[in-house]
Amino acid sequence: GGMAEAILSKKNGENSVAVNVRLKTAGQADQPLLVNYTHVGLAEGLAYVDFGFLEPALLGAVVKRVKQGEAIPKQLEGIRGARVALPLDSLVRLYQQLQQVLVGLQPPKPKQS
């Protein structure tokens, strides 16, 4: 696995400490799954994130049908790679991490003279 840093904060969020986290792999967990579909649902204080894979050729066929004005299938069959249940504070942390990654992908703005 890799090293990551976790921010552990008390409920009121005033005292935060950064600690290093090392994740050990269990079974095939060290093999990254290729997913091209995600869905997030909420139930009983947990966010459920489904990671799935839809055949690219299948998606291409649907797009083609839409462009041709044809009816699209009611349902697409995909493979669920994983389902993750997250407490809401972990969901917020994931959101913050995704934001940081996306900001890092932005090209730097030219400096105004």
Side-chain angles (χ1 to χ4, degrees), residues 36-108:
N36 59 9
Y37 172 83
T38 57
H39 178 262
V40 181
L42 282 177
E44 291 161 24
L46 288 174
Y48 290 89
V49 188
D50 286 320
F51 295 94
F53 183 79
L54 300 172
E55 236 10 279
L58 189 66
L59 292 174
V62 171
V63 170
K64 195 172 169 188
R65 288 176 69 166
V66 170
K67 284 182 178 164
Q68 293 171 348
E70 297 173 32
I72 57 168
K74 293 248 188 304
Q75 191 173 318
L76 291 178
E77 286 286 322
I79 297 165
R80 177 152 75 192
R83 166 172 274 194
V84 179
L86 294 167
L88 296 185
D89 56 342
S90 296
L91 184 68
V92 170
R93 185 80 192 114
L94 174 62
Y95 174 69
Q96 292 168 343
Q97 289 172 342
L98 290 171
Q99 272 190 315
Q100 287 171 354
V101 169
L102 291 172
V103 166
L105 292 175
Q106 308 262 325

